């Protein structure tokens, strides 16, 4: 999650406030610095079992489950966590061996050994939940456990990205005694080995996290615990931040709310905003089972019309930038194929595309979006998309929105002709902006099987241990995406954390998957 420069930090502001107040310097060691932190977000988990969610639930998983590898702050390559070390043992990148740390325990007292690792990952593939991350393990053939501390992953083909998958919350480790091998755990409880334990949970309300006293891993916890409060309305979340009911926010702020939190009035009220490096993208998905969307000229005409600059300026007010590829800026191999192919928005060209395709009547389409996943700006974004298309008289667009859980069911059942999705990378590699969107069972629920990408581009790039060596292959995939227009990238966002002035660590808290590492947050105290 990768391409931004940080433009605002809270450190200098805190120091100046401290001096003005005559309090001396702030200290982050001892005393009240470890008190509980309350964080707000609009991204509530869809499920507590890692086998059943490939979405924003990972934000909670990162803090309560452990993985063999992880991405400490500032890293773009996976580092050991539950593992002591991991490495490919062959030149073909098809056999990957991990040695576990000694003495690891789950929160229920079970031993975290090689068999527990095998159980955790095998069940994801066996359950194969329609909303789960099994697709990330397509290259995995089998897992062997030659001894209690050794796990060997045998891959079907070369896959240099496999360590990145093991470093993502998709590979969260669970206690075998509490998580069945063939079905999802549904009792609303969690048994992990991460930095925190889930002491209580109210769906859609809050998750209370306490320190896991048996945790052994890379995370250096700087607080006593965290309460995560889930908001369906970002306005209420901002009100809670200003009213000191929560200490920080990390998902779902609208552009207007970010701008508001950056004003002198908010600053004087004790609120700061931190801009973080990120690679969040938004895009449209076209369902080929729809009789209109199945026509390439329809998709190409939409690509020719949409004005990303207007969406960014009117709706996101500088907190995002236009995106012309599924691989965002800042990620190795990024190109601009949609701009190269379609150029500036042009209604006349779009009309010719439709006419040449034998389409002379206005095309009726329904665009779907989720009302409570990505923040309040989503509805405004789709209103702007509708305006742009309707004004051409080439399209007549109807908008429909649903809450995330219902929305998920709809797109997975292929009920929507066109729908909007957001993507927060599973790991920091261009492969993760290509591979999840292709195949029969892909991340967006609409089969897309470009033979060149599946049979040539991905296999060839995955043989490269040096990830920058596969640039030409990823450029080729981006060009194919632009020609097919099965996915239409719209914009690339920046990540913002709003925090009270006494909260530090926000500039370090977001990992490469844009999940917040809650242990980085702490409360500054004066002496």
């Amino acid at each position: 999650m990768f391409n931004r420069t940080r433009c605002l930090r809270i450190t200098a502001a805190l120091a100046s406030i401290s001096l003005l107040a005559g309090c001396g310097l702030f200290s982050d060691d001892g005393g009240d610095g470890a008190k509980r932190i309350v964080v707000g977000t609009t991204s509530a988990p869809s499920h507590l079992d890692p086998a059943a969610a490939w979405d924003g639930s990972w934000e909670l998983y990162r803090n309560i489950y452990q993985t063999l590898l992880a991405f400490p702050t500032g890293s773009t390559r996976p580092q050991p966590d539950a593992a002591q070390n991991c490495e490919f043992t062959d030149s073909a990148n098809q056999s990957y061996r991990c040695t576990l740390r000694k003495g690891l325990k789950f929160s229920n007292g079970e031993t975290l050994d090689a068999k527990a690792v095998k159980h955790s990952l095998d069940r994801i593939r066996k359950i194969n939940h329609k909303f789960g991350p099994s697709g990330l393990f397509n290259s995995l053939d089998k897992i062997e456990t030659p001894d209690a501390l050794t796990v060997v992953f045998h891959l079907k083909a070369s896959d240099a990205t496999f360590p990145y998958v093991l470093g993502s919350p998709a590979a969260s480790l669970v206690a075998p005694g509490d998580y069945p091998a063939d079905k999802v755990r549904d009792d609303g409880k969690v048994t992990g080995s991460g930095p925190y334990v889930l002491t209580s949970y109210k769906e859609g309300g809050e998750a209370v996290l306490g320190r896991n006293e048996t945790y052994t891993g890379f995370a250096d916890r700087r607080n006593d615990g965290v309460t995560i409060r889930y908001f369906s309305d970002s306005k209420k979340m901002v009100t809670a931040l200003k009213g000191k009911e929560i200490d920080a926010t990390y998902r779902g702020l609208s552009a207007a709310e970010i701008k508001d939190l950056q004003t002198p009035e908010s600053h004087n009220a004790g609120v700061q905003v931190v801009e973080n490096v990120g690679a969040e993208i938004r895009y449209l998905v076209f369902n080929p089972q729809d009789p209109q969307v199945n026509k390439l000229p329809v998709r190409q005409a939409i690509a020719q019309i949409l004005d990303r600059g207007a969406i960014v300026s009117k709706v996101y007010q500088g907190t995002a930038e236009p995106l012309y590829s599924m691989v965002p800026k800042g990620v190795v191999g990024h190109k601009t194929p949609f701009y190269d192919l379609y150029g500036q928005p042009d209604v006349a060209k779009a009309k010719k595309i439709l006419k040449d395709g034998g389409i002379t009547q206005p095309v009726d389409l329904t665009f779907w979006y989720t009302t409570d996943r990505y923040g309040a700006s989503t509805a405004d974004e789709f209103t702007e998309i509708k305006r742009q298309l309707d004004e051409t008289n080439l399209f007549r667009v109807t908008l429909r929105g649903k809450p995330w859980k219902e929305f998920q069911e709809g797109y997975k059942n292929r009920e929507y002709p066109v729908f909007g999705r957001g993507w927060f990378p599973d790991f920091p590699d261009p492969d993760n902006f290509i591979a999840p969107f292709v195949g029969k069972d892909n991340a967006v629920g609409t089969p897309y099987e470009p033979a060149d990408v599946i049979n040539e581009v991905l296999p060839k790039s995955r043989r490269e241990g040096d990830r920058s060596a596969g640039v030409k292959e990823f450029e080729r995939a981006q060009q194919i995406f632009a020609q097919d227009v099965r996915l239409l990238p719209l914009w690339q966002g920046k990540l913002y954390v709003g925090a009270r002035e006494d909260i530090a660590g926000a500039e370090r808290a977001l990992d490469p998957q844009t999940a917040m590492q809650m242990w980085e947050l702490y409360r500054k105290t004066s002496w």
Side-chain angles (χ1 to χ4, degrees):
M1 310 182 147
F2 330 100
N3 61 325
R4 303 279 193 268
T5 55
R6 298 183 180 101
C7 71
L8 185 59
R9 312 260 183 142
I10 59 176
T11 309
L14 288 169
S16 63
I17 294 170
S18 173
L19 292 171
L20 288 171
C23 298
L25 297 174
F26 284 108
S27 170
D28 62 2
D29 42 82
D32 294 333
K35 285 183 177 179
R36 175 170 291 277
I37 305 295
V38 183
V39 179
T41 177
T42 61
S43 186
S46 58
H47 208 288
L48 296 182
D49 188 331
W54 188 2
D55 57 23
S57 304
W58 283 17
E59 295 167 345
L60 179 60
Y61 297 172
R62 175 54 78 200
N63 293 278
I64 57 178
Y65 293 109
Q66 196 170 17
T67 46
L68 289 172
L69 302 169
F71 294 90
T73 300
S75 67
T76 56
R77 296 181 66 86
Q79 307 296 320
D81 187 8
Q84 181 176 310
N85 59 70
C86 294
E87 62 181 355
F88 279 106
T89 58
D90 65 330
S91 59
N93 293 332
Q94 286 187 249
S95 181
Y96 195 70
R97 179 186 296 266
C98 289
T99 302
L100 297 177
R101 296 176 187 261
K102 294 180 180 179
L104 293 177
K105 298 284 186 182
F106 289 104
S107 58
N108 66 352
E110 282 188 64
T111 299
L112 199 173
D113 58 10
K115 289 184 178 179
V117 173
K118 177 176 168 57
H119 173 87
S120 298
L121 302 186
D122 279 348
R123 67 186 295 271
I124 292 172
R125 296 188 298 155
K126 185 171 185 178
I127 293 170
N128 195 25
H129 195 281
K130 65 179 178 180
F131 298 137
S134 59
L136 285 173
F137 296 93
N138 285 339
S139 66
L140 180 59
D141 183 19
K142 63 180 179 179
I143 303 172
E144 292 182 340
T145 56
D147 59 57
L149 294 179
T150 305
V151 187
V152 181
F153 301 93
H154 296 283
L155 308 182
K156 300 173 186 175
S158 300
D159 187 1
T161 71
F162 188 71
Y164 293 80
V165 176
L166 292 182
S168 76
S172 295
L173 304 177
V174 298
D178 288 341
Y179 290 81
D182 57 356
K183 63 180 180 180
V184 169
R185 181 179 182 178
D186 275 322
D187 63 358
K189 296 180 181 179
V190 165
T191 312
S193 61
Y196 298 98
V197 293
L198 186 66
T199 60
S200 69
Y201 179 74
K202 181 180 179 182
E203 185 174 356
E206 68 176 21
V208 180
L209 280 55
R211 290 170 69 101
N212 180 2
E213 299 304 333
T214 64
Y215 169 73
T216 301
F218 79 94
D220 179 16
R221 293 161 297 188
R222 310 191 72 180
N223 53 61
D224 280 342
V226 178
T227 298
I228 306 173
R229 292 185 181 165
Y230 300 110
F231 292 83
S232 59
D233 185 341
S234 60
K235 292 181 181 178
K236 293 181 180 178
M237 183 169 68
V238 170
T239 299
L241 179 65
K242 290 182 176 180
K244 302 182 182 180
E245 297 173 26
I246 60 176
D247 298 306
T249 68
Y250 77 104
R251 185 76 76 200
L253 294 172
S254 70
E257 288 160 351
I258 292 167
K259 293 293 185 182
D260 174 62
L261 292 177
Q262 291 175 327
T263 62
E265 291 78 12
S266 292
H267 176 78
N268 292 336
V271 176
Q272 298 291 327
V273 177
V274 179
E275 180 184 316
N276 284 271
V277 174
E280 171 190 2
I281 68 172
R282 298 290 171 82
Y283 57 96
L284 295 177
V285 182
F286 295 98
N287 181 358
Q289 292 186 346
D290 180 82
Q292 295 282 33
V293 170
N294 188 44
K295 300 171 185 175
L296 179 58
V298 169
R299 305 195 301 270
Q300 290 176 327
I302 294 173
Q304 185 64 71
I305 291 168
L306 283 187
D307 186 340
R308 295 166 175 83
I311 294 171
V312 167
S313 63
K314 292 182 179 181
V315 180
Y316 292 100
Q317 303 175 38
T319 62
E321 58 184 300
L323 181 64
Y324 298 94
S325 169
M326 290 298 288
V327 178
K329 287 176 61 178
V331 177
V332 172
H334 164 76
K335 291 293 181 180
T336 58
F338 277 87
Y339 187 85
D340 300 339
L341 196 57
Y342 301 101
Q344 294 289 344
D346 192 317
V347 175
K349 287 183 179 179
K351 186 174 183 179
K352 185 177 186 303
I353 290 171
L354 291 172
K355 184 178 180 180
D356 290 348
I359 303 168
T360 57
Q361 299 297 320
V363 179
D364 290 303
L365 288 175
T366 301
F367 282 50
W368 288 81
Y369 63 93
T370 177
T371 58
D372 62 350
R373 194 66 177 178
Y374 306 126
S377 298
T378 305
D380 294 335
E381 175 184 348
F382 275 78
T383 298
E384 172 61 18
I385 290 172
K386 172 180 166 59
R387 183 195 67 78
Q388 291 182 18
L389 294 174
D390 284 353
E391 284 187 355
T392 67
N393 293 320
L394 301 176
F395 292 91
R396 289 191 292 251
V397 174
T398 300
L399 298 181
R400 295 282 186 268
K402 283 187 176 182
W404 176 248
K405 284 196 172 183
E406 296 177 49
F407 179 77
Q408 269 191 312
E409 290 286 346
Y411 78 72
K412 281 291 185 179
N413 291 331
R414 303 171 192 173
E415 297 172 2
Y416 309 149
V418 187
F419 58 95
R421 285 293 312 273
W423 186 251
F424 308 100
D426 304 314
F427 51 83
D429 189 275
D431 184 282
N432 195 236
F433 293 92
I434 301 295
F437 305 107
V438 299
K440 184 177 180 180
D441 299 311
N442 60 43
V444 294
T446 56
Y448 176 37
E449 302 177 81
D452 286 355
V453 175
I454 294 172
N455 300 326
E456 297 180 26
V457 170
L458 292 175
K460 186 175 181 179
S461 68
R462 287 174 174 178
R463 289 195 289 269
E464 300 290 349
D466 176 2
R467 301 307 296 146
S468 63
V471 165
K472 288 186 178 179
E473 297 306 317
F474 290 119
E475 290 176 359
R476 182 181 173 193
Q478 293 172 75
Q479 185 66 30
I480 292 170
F481 277 19
Q483 292 167 351
D484 292 347
V485 203
R486 285 290 307 280
L487 303 147
L488 182 60
L490 296 174
W491 55 266
Q492 175 175 352
K494 302 174 184 178
L495 296 172
Y496 295 89
V497 176
R500 300 297 310 174
E501 64 182 11
D502 63 334
I503 299 299
E507 72 279 4
R508 292 177 50 83
L510 295 180
D511 75 357
Q513 288 112 0
T514 71
M516 182 172 276
Q517 301 176 136
M518 299 293 182
W519 57 84
E520 293 284 2
L521 300 177
Y522 63 95
R523 195 179 306 280
K524 290 265 188 174
T525 57
S526 58
W527 42 272

